[in-house]
Amino acid sequence: MMMEKKKYEEIVNKHKPKETRVQNAFIAFVTGGLVGVLGQFLVDFYSWWLHISSKDASTFMIITLIFLASLFTALGFFDKWVTFARCGLIIPITGFAHSMTSAGMEYRREGPIYGIGSNIFKLAGSVILYGVVSAWFFGLLRMIIMGG
Amino acid sequence: MTQRYKNVYVQDTATVSGPYEAKGPLGKYFDKSYDDLYTGEKSWELSEVHLLTDSLEILLHKTHLKKEDINLMISGDLLNQITSSCYAAEPFKVPFLGIYSACATSLEGAIIGANYVENGEAERVICSTSSHNMGSEKQFRNPTEYGAPKPGTATFTATGGASLLLSSKKSTIRLESSTIGIIQDLEQKDPLNMGAVMAPAAADTIYRHLTDLKRDPSYYDLILTGDLGIYGKEILKDYMKTEYGISLDANYNDCGVMLYNLQDQKEVLAGGSGPVCSALVNYGYVMKLLKKKELKRVLLVATGALFSPTFSYQHQSILSIAHAISLEVVE
């Protein structure tokens, strides 16, 4: 029986299309980079326009990117961009906003509590949990090594 | 288990599709199609109920029957607790059996129905199924607007409702025999390569059907699997040859490959899937060819991946099953 399963696996692998990994990585690299360029432009723009520090301007930048990603998701075309750009749009903050908005939209028919409330963090929940855990861990390391 | 029938006939079929299926090469064979995935309803789930209800109403209309004329309705779908089927069946007030074999549901229904008709316990049985692309994505994968990238082996759940009326009254198409599938597990765990999950089930059912009835694949004008997709189809041909020594050649095809134009409709990736995928092709396209006598003998093999996200996350392999029926033109 084990032999049969191994033999079958070979047949399956023989008929698997080659994923275009290099091309996917390149597209993700370029689009992710462009999101970074847009972010930097927004930081510079806000600090020049509103006469604020770069640190405050980056908060404004994050809000702008989250707003745009959520708006484009709501308008129904951001999922097509994600399918094309893959991690280029999933890894930046745009991906986080997109995951929440798409989940919120999907479950709105089940109402504000059992629908949106219970499901909006369906995809983003893991990001938050492990984001908080790793922040705590690195904070601890920093305290031990650098004394705070 | 393979059975032969003497008195089971296909009276008629009804097929209703969504927009992607209407744009495919078989679009013209469906009784009704919708441009809008919501079909005028408020949710994907209600839309699936709508599609199934449409197919039931069209079937009654085409066969000039009333609800009271139906002795039994058998239906199943992919949504949890097979709710689309239940909600669609409720207004008809007909004895109802809800069934589940994932994408092999349509033929599980046809086999159960055929037995009731053959035994004379029911004169007219409706066997239905439905699926909805967005409803399935929502339940089994990610929110529909998320658009998570998928590999080329992934398939696209078809949207639609399809119904079949079996009866003991003579017609031009006879349900000649059936083979009930055995659950297969070759330790496939990738939900984005369902063709590889289901090919062993198709192979086992085809093999048992042919050996039980002492037939050669060439006995049939057409052998159709349900929703293996382009890669699954090649896996089946390869596996069938190496494991069982049977060649599936020119008379073999897969409904998932036929339902869409794979060159132009890139979003479907490896092809169609879902219970209604094979039902749309079988009840829409194949029935028309049988009626015109362009095909005389066909073997339909609906393939189902018995997939549960929960079991999958618990690292269990995905089980599969395939049920088969053969249809013949009555001379």
Side-chain angles (χ1 to χ4, degrees), chain A residues 8 14-15 79 98 109-110, chain B residues 42 138 145-146 196 238:
Chain A
Y8 185 67
K14 207 167 95 190
H15 299 288
D79 56 328
H98 172 59
R109 303 292 180 211
E110 285 80 9
Chain B
K42 281 193 172 146
K138 176 179 173 181
E145 287 295 334
Y146 189 61
D238 202 339

Side-chain angles (χ1 to χ4, degrees), chain A residues 4-5 7-9 11-12 14-17 19 76 79 83 86 98-99 102-103 105-107 109-110 123, chain B residues 42 44 138 142 144-147 149 151-153 185-188 196 199-200 231 234-235 238-239 242-243:
Chain A
E4 193 194 331
K5 280 168 186 170
K7 219 167 83 190
Y8 185 67
E9 198 59 43
I11 295 176
V12 169
K14 207 167 95 190
H15 299 288
K16 223 176 231 175
E19 285 298 314
D79 56 328
T83 306
R86 297 172 183 238
H98 172 59
S99 75
S102 59
M105 284 168 72
E106 187 76 312
Y107 291 95
R109 303 292 180 211
E110 285 80 9
L123 298 162
Chain B
K42 281 193 172 146
W44 309 130
K138 176 179 173 181
N142 292 314
T144 47
E145 287 295 334
Y146 189 61
T153 50
D185 178 13
L186 284 187
E187 288 183 359
Q188 292 296 306
Y231 304 106
E234 294 309 313
I235 294 170
D238 202 339
Y239 183 64
T242 52
E243 194 66 24

Side-chain angles (χ1 to χ4, degrees), chain B residues 7-12 59 65 70-72 74 109-117 122-127 163-169 173-175 283 287 325 327:
Chain B
N7 303 311
V8 185
Y9 297 90
V10 175
Q11 292 305 315
D12 217 331
L59 185 61
L65 292 171
I70 305 303
N71 306 111
L72 175 65
I74 306 167
I111 294 171
I112 299 170
N115 280 288
Y116 275 99
V117 172
E123 207 184 321
R124 296 179 203 88
V125 182
I126 289 184
C127 313
S163 297
L164 162 83
L165 179 71
L166 294 177
S167 153
S168 50
K169 197 179 123 197
I173 305 168
R174 191 162 82 89
L175 202 163
Y283 301 171
M287 290 297 172
I325 62 167
L327 299 174

